[in-house]
Amino acid sequence: MDVIAGFANMRARNYSIPEVDKLKAKFIAGRIIPAIATATAMATGLVCLELYKVLAGGHKVEDYRNTFANLAIPLFSIAEPVPPKTIKHKDLSWTVWDRWTVTGNITLRELLEWLKEKGLNAYSISCGTSLLYNSMFPRHKERLDRKVADVAREVAKMEVPSYRRHLDVVVACEDDDDNDVDIPLVSVYFR
């Protein structure tokens, strides 16, 4: 308690707040710690209730709940989550929750062709915070015949652990009418 009171008073001096004695610091800390424990226990319990539904499987989105709670008021607001918007393109449909997977140690060109078969013209591919390919940069065309994993290692400085078999890439696409089309994250399984 001496350490907590000492740190509290150093902070009080720093911000020109009146200092308190050890008894007052113990009184204040005694009220904060149970509040933190109560809020943590409530949040953990609510998360576990939803986790049971996930583990049981077979539940619709409407079966889950999103809870906002404020113990100070007290206020509990429980709501159904809104399902994600479905994006449609030709005969395909997907949501932002989906993920597309490509198997094989493919090249950037093969990834572009795979998307072209879906009626999508990809103009940018990024991994992490690095741009692996952009159709506007002439030097990026030299990368087209290289493997996606190799380009990610070189450009994005990605160190792929030995147990990991895929890389996630974000692809920016447009349709034949030059309208942007948001597609899911693309996982390239290279092993």
Side-chain angles (χ1 to χ4, degrees), residues 43-104:
T44 304
L46 290 168
V47 167
C48 285
L49 288 174
E50 298 306 309
L51 183 61
Y52 292 141
K53 296 173 192 174
V54 171
L55 294 175
H59 289 273
K60 301 177 296 217
V61 173
E62 297 82 28
D63 295 338
Y64 296 97
R65 296 293 176 262
N66 182 21
T67 304
F68 172 80
N70 186 338
L71 294 176
I73 298 179
L75 170 72
F76 291 88
S77 176
I78 301 173
E80 289 181 8
V82 178
K85 181 180 125 187
T86 301
I87 301 165
K88 295 181 187 293
H89 175 73
K90 297 194 177 189
D91 60 342
L92 298 171
S93 64
W94 61 85
T95 70
V96 294
W97 292 353
D98 292 328
R99 179 180 296 229
W100 288 350
T101 58
V102 182
T103 54

Side-chain angles (χ1 to χ4, degrees), residues 26-39:
K26 184 176 182 180
F27 176 74
I28 294 169
R31 289 176 172 239
I32 293 171
I33 292 169
I36 292 171
T38 304

Side-chain angles (χ1 to χ4, degrees), residues 16 39 55 58 83 121 160 180:
S16 301
L55 294 175
N121 304 314
V160 183
D180 282 338

Side-chain angles (χ1 to χ4, degrees), residues 100-114:
W100 288 350
T101 58
V102 182
T103 54
N105 196 10
I106 63 170
T107 64
L108 285 170
R109 186 181 309 277
E110 290 169 331
L111 179 58
L112 294 174
E113 290 169 3
W114 182 79

Side-chain angles (χ1 to χ4, degrees), residues 8-18:
N9 285 330
M10 286 191 315
R11 186 171 187 272
R13 281 184 204 151
N14 195 33
Y15 291 100
S16 301
I17 299 171

